[in-house]
């Protein structure tokens, strides 16, 4: 069976890391399989949202240290897309993390690369790289302090201990907390709420929000205005008001 399982249904793709016997540690082979899965997701116009999950008792334990000791780090870290072909991947569509169990090191950095996070009460998060004389360079020391207070990010980076799902939720790292075994179902429910909206507007709002974070408030307003104007000539822009007037569900065309 593939190291990355890709399943698409009703506009939602589920991409599952499938090395349960190795705690989904990122090997060059798993990284390549994930790259293929995300290429498929990016290219499929019929799929609007993806869910990233992990099979087994761990979402992802980070890099496969055995592969690193064998000198195969390059296969784990793609020069453009980063850890697991995902941590630095440029994409237009939203991705939801479904975290049922621990997500640490590179696994947590993959979660940080997602747009929304659903996690069960058995999930924990952390960047323990410092304990192995490493740096969490795929989002741990760059994205994390942009998401939570800097002193808390510093605590996680310098000590390397994990935090539980409740603290992660209180810090804003997790959108939905659920019972064990329910992360994927809850992530699907969240995806259904997203795909009820027109995909071009979703993608435009996502990109405008991310781009706006990197600049001043005044420039962020300009970015948002341009994103809105880009929708004016689309079929979906006309369909929204028409469906409202006709009192029917909209039929989004993604064009």
């Amino acid at each position: 069976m593939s190291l990355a399982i890709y399943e698409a249904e009703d506009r939602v793709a589920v991409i599952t890391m499938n090395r349960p016997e190795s705690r989904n540690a990122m090997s060059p082979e798993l990284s390549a399989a994930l790259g293929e899965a995300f290429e498929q997701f990016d290219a499929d116009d019929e799929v609007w949202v993806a869910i990233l999950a992990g099979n087994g008792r761990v979402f992802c334990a980070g890099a496969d240290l055995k592969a690193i000791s064998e000198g195969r780090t390059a296969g784990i870290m793609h020069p453009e897309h980063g850890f697991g072909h995902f941590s630095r991947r440029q994409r237009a569509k939203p991705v939801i993390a479904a975290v049922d169990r621990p997500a640490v090191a590179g696994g947590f950095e993959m979660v940080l690369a997602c747009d929304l996070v659903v996690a069960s009460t058995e999930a924990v998060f952390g960047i323990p790289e410092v304990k192995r004389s490493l740096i969490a360079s795929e989002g741990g020391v760059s994205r994390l302090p942009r998401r939570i207070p800097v002193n808390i990010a510093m605590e996680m980076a310098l000590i390397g201990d994990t935090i539980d799902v409740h603290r992660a939720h209180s810090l804003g790292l997790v959108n939905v907390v659920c019972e064990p075994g329910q992360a994927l179902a809850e992530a699907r429910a969240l995806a259904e709420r997203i795909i009820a909206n027109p995909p071009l507007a979703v993608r435009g709002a996502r990109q405008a929000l991310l781009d706006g974070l990197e600049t001043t408030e005044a420039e962020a307003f300009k970015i948002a205005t341009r994103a809105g104007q880009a929708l004016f000539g689309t079929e979906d822009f006309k369909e929204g008001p028409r469906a409202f007037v006709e009192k029917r569900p909209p039929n989004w065309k993604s064009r």
Side-chain angles (χ1 to χ4, degrees):
M1 187 174 289
S2 175
L3 293 176
I5 302 171
Y6 184 92
E7 301 169 293
E9 183 180 1
D10 296 333
R11 308 239 182 244
V12 179
V14 178
I15 299 171
T16 306
M17 294 176 282
N18 192 35
R19 288 190 78 206
E21 73 288 348
S22 301
R23 304 189 302 163
N24 293 320
M26 192 61 62
S27 65
E29 295 78 13
L30 175 56
S31 180
L34 283 171
E36 292 177 6
F38 278 106
E39 290 290 342
Q40 186 173 351
F41 167 60
D42 289 343
D44 192 342
D45 292 336
E46 298 302 312
V47 177
W48 297 352
V49 177
I51 298 170
L52 179 62
N55 185 20
R57 300 179 61 184
V58 176
F59 174 82
C60 177
D64 187 329
L65 296 182
K66 181 179 178 182
I68 290 176
S69 70
E70 294 170 348
R72 298 195 295 145
T73 305
I76 296 171
M77 205 76 63
H78 187 273
E80 180 182 359
H81 302 313
F83 183 84
H85 275 257
F86 183 67
S87 63
R88 305 190 190 199
R89 190 177 196 90
Q90 297 297 308
R91 51 188 168 78
K93 305 177 190 178
V95 177
I96 303 170
V99 187
D100 233 333
R101 300 291 179 86
V104 296
F108 180 37
E109 291 173 311
M110 294 182 78
V111 171
L112 289 172
C114 292
D115 300 289
L116 300 171
V117 181
V118 175
S120 84
T121 53
E122 292 188 355
V124 298
F125 305 92
I127 43 174
E129 281 89 342
V130 69
K131 295 176 181 286
R132 298 290 180 266
S133 193
L134 299 169
I135 302 295
S137 60
E138 288 300 300
V141 297
S142 51
R143 284 196 178 104
L144 188 59
R146 297 167 184 257
R147 305 284 179 82
I148 65 176
V150 172
N151 60 320
I152 305 300
M154 193 70 77
E155 173 191 332
M156 295 180 70
L158 301 189
I159 297 174
D161 290 345
T162 59
I163 60 174
D164 66 21
V165 71
H166 299 294
R167 190 177 188 197
H169 183 258
S170 70
L171 290 167
L173 289 171
V174 172
N175 297 87
V176 178
V177 178
C178 61
E179 293 300 312
Q182 295 301 308
L184 184 55
E186 291 290 342
R188 284 183 182 276
L190 200 55
E192 290 294 332
R193 294 169 63 188
I194 295 173
I195 65 173
N197 299 319
L200 295 181
V202 167
R203 295 170 200 174
R206 174 187 178 274
Q207 196 60 54
L209 189 154
L210 293 175
D211 291 346
L213 289 174
E214 303 299 323
T215 186
T216 64
E217 184 178 89
E219 184 59 32
F221 271 103
K222 295 177 183 178
I223 290 170
T225 298
R226 290 195 294 269
Q229 291 172 341
L231 298 174
F232 287 173
T234 65
E235 291 185 32
D236 284 351
F237 180 80
K238 301 172 184 176
E239 170 65 6
R242 185 185 301 122
F244 176 80
V245 170
E246 296 174 1
K247 298 181 179 179
R248 60 171 175 80
N251 180 22
W252 307 123
K253 298 292 188 181
S254 190
R255 58 177 184 264

